[in-house]
Amino acid sequence: MPITLDQLNAAPLAEAALMLDGLYEHSPWIVEAALKQRPFASLAALKHAMVRVLNEAGVEPQLALIRAHPELAGKAMVSKTLTAESTNEQSKAGLTNCTPEEFAHIQRLNADYNAKHGFPFILAVRGPRGTGLSKAEIIATFERRLHNPVDFERAECLRNIHRIAEIRLNDKFGFDPVLGNAVWDWHEDLARHTDPGYAELGQLTVTYLTDAHRTCAAQLQRQMLALGFDEAHIDVVGNVVGRYHGNTPDAPALLTGSHYDTVRNGGRYDGRLGIFVPMACVQQLKQAGQRLPFAIEVVGFAEEEGQRYKATFLGSGALTGHFNPAWLDQQDADGITMRAAMQNAGLPATLEAITALQRDPSKYLGFVEVHIEQGPVLNELDLPLGVVTSINASVRYLGEVIGMASHAGTTPMDRRRDAACAVAELALYAEQRAATDGDSVATIGMLQVPNGSINVVPGRCSFSLDLRAPSDAQRDALETDVLAQLQAICARRGVRHTREETMRAAAAPSAPAWQARWEAAVNALGVPLHRLPSGAGHDAMKLHEVMPQAMLFVRGLNSGISHNPLESTTSDDMDLCVRAFAHLLEQLAAEHPN
Ligand SMILES: [Zn+2]
């Protein structure tokens, strides 16, 4: 019989502890301490209470907990002394069924990992969907994580322990994240389509108007209709637009969505999560036969990443009247113009048709977007969701420092005019200056000595500079300081520089009322509220120009890595996200009665 939250909240402490027995390997103290914070409003709240207990316990108890775990496919498994929970998990992952070669390989990894880190490798082998990682995935993860710094791995092991506990807790409560599982599976299904050359490598790449891109659009359109949208069509720039009508024909609409194109060898969730989550909500409404006092318009934006053409935010830009006519003549790497690509896709490719996509903001309540965080913050805090306060302002430069190339052997240190050292000094300054703000970031991502030689003091050094901050004013202050320092470094070193501004984007602060709705939704789930700025640009930035917007972030695993096949999140987190979105819809319905 599964436990209920009411039973857990009402039971005497010892009895409640017994209900949660075995969540944390040989460490009942975590559950016991967490239970002192009863009653819990939700499973999510209980999970986070246990996370906090372990966080506050300090390093020694954390290490003891890690060391209480068996090695993967280790001696305990062979001698059958694993706990029942561990046996179940390791056998689901096929680890009780290794070939002698695989077994030997895992034993070697176990030994190397233990020697380096001083504790066993911990991995939630049931994985982000709860159904089990493959042996190949487990071994690849093991090989990758072996090289992480020890401190990082200690935290990563604890995160995996919390994930193991989450799955064990779900089992005890008979809880299945049904909505999250569905959304997770939809991502898998869409990720089958990838551009030529990448399919063979098992990589996901979907760029503007390729065959794979058009297959994705058609699949999204079909799926929207199958889930219960009243209308779904592909517009003249390739956006997939689904509409679930409100309870009156003239009801305003909530606009939502994100992009379905990807970077090259990208992740599965970047963009697509923001399409699928509202699709799951519409499915729920349809099944319940429910209509809201507003329509829901879900858009799968055709292009956000600027990969095939330099036309970033093409999809959302078309809705705000920011389609640049010059883009039509732009050529891809094979010399195919965007106009030709559109015509090949059966799209009219006329400016008139594209301009007609522009939305009338007075017909919309606002825009919301769900997105995977693409950063490490929520993962480190062990929080599934985060509310975005602002999409960062940014500015970018390309520049060059010009010094004097001279003989590396004969030029004394005090006579050099080393261009690369000047840029290196700038990079260190920018790093330290951005860090003093706490939430600004500065990056010199490109630093090159053209035609450099091992025995020549660098005479030229080209560089890029990318500065971002949550507000325009904070970005401007950062920019002023960094550029002043560049001037000062050049003067002191006797070098000069050139620079060209290549991009400047204003911050897109969340509309307070919309941010508050996300916050209320997160609170209602019993998940601790965390606010954070978005360091990356998103479609919401474009919609920001014409209507109020706010975003919700979902935790990414693997340090939140993105634009990378390791991008991942769990079906449990997706489930919470769908429920947060549904809560936002409920709030809006209550605010707009008719
Ligand atoms: Zn994205």
Side-chain angles (χ1 to χ4, degrees), residues 363-446:
K363 295 187 171 150
Y364 291 90
L365 298 171
F367 179 78
V368 290
E369 181 175 358
V370 164
H371 207 282
I372 190 162
E373 183 201 330
Q374 304 186 280
V377 175
L378 295 173
N379 192 50
E380 266 175 29
L381 293 170
D382 287 299
L383 291 173
L385 302 172
V387 177
V388 176
T389 52
S390 174
I391 303 172
N392 279 353
S394 57
V395 61
R396 287 180 182 166
Y397 288 95
L398 289 174
E400 187 176 43
V401 170
I402 301 109
M404 176 64 78
S406 58
H407 197 293
T410 60
T411 316
M413 294 314 286
D414 60 356
R415 315 275 164 77
R416 293 181 177 212
R417 290 159 61 198
D418 186 324
C421 282
V423 178
E425 200 179 330
L426 180 71
L428 293 174
Y429 172 77
E431 180 186 45
Q432 167 258 316
R433 171 61 184 78
T436 57
D437 284 345
D439 51 5
S440 295
V441 288
T443 308
I444 291 187
M446 301 192 301

Side-chain angles (χ1 to χ4, degrees), residues 410-571:
T410 60
T411 316
M413 294 314 286
D414 60 356
R415 315 275 164 77
R416 293 181 177 212
R417 290 159 61 198
D418 186 324
C421 282
V423 178
E425 200 179 330
L426 180 71
L428 293 174
Y429 172 77
E431 180 186 45
Q432 167 258 316
R433 171 61 184 78
T436 57
D437 284 345
D439 51 5
S440 295
V441 288
T443 308
I444 291 187
M446 301 192 301
L447 185 155
Q448 271 154 348
V449 178
N451 304 315
S453 293
I454 194 167
N455 57 356
V456 177
V457 176
R460 302 180 95 88
C461 183
S462 58
F463 66 96
S464 63
L465 180 63
D466 176 311
L467 306 172
R468 308 188 199 202
S471 71
D472 292 355
Q474 188 175 320
R475 178 215 41 204
D476 293 346
L478 173 67
E479 180 190 12
T480 303
D481 286 357
V482 170
L483 294 182
Q485 190 67 21
L486 173 59
Q487 207 71 46
I489 291 167
C490 287
R492 177 161 40 76
R493 289 179 170 272
V495 299
R496 65 190 175 88
H497 81 274
T498 60
R499 65 169 191 260
E500 181 198 351
E501 183 184 306
T502 57
M503 197 271 267
R504 181 177 293 268
S510 301
W514 288 88
Q515 185 183 325
R517 291 186 188 103
W518 280 131
E519 292 178 5
V522 169
N523 278 326
L525 293 171
V527 173
L529 179 62
H530 184 76
R531 303 179 182 95
L532 72 171
S534 170
H538 294 293
D539 291 300
M541 252 171 124
K542 291 309 290 181
L543 275 306
H544 180 82
E545 294 167 18
V546 297
M547 63 179 81
Q549 61 78 27
M551 294 185 70
L552 181 71
F553 275 171
V554 180
R555 156 171 60 186
L557 304 179
N558 303 320
S559 308
I561 195 165
S562 187
H563 289 182
N564 185 302
L566 289 173
E567 179 187 87
S568 186
T569 184
T570 66
S571 60

Side-chain angles (χ1 to χ4, degrees), residues 227 244 278-292 294 296 582 585:
L227 292 177
Y244 185 68
M279 280 170 64
C281 289
V282 167
Q283 181 188 28
Q284 293 292 104
L285 290 170
K286 178 72 180 181
Q287 283 173 356
Q290 203 184 343
R291 292 283 167 181
L292 302 175
F294 52 90
I296 303 173
L585 294 177

Side-chain angles (χ1 to χ4, degrees), residues 258-259 270-271 304-305 371 374 537-538:
S258 193
H259 60 98
D270 176 3
E304 190 261 8
E305 301 281 10
H371 207 282
Q374 304 186 280
H538 294 293

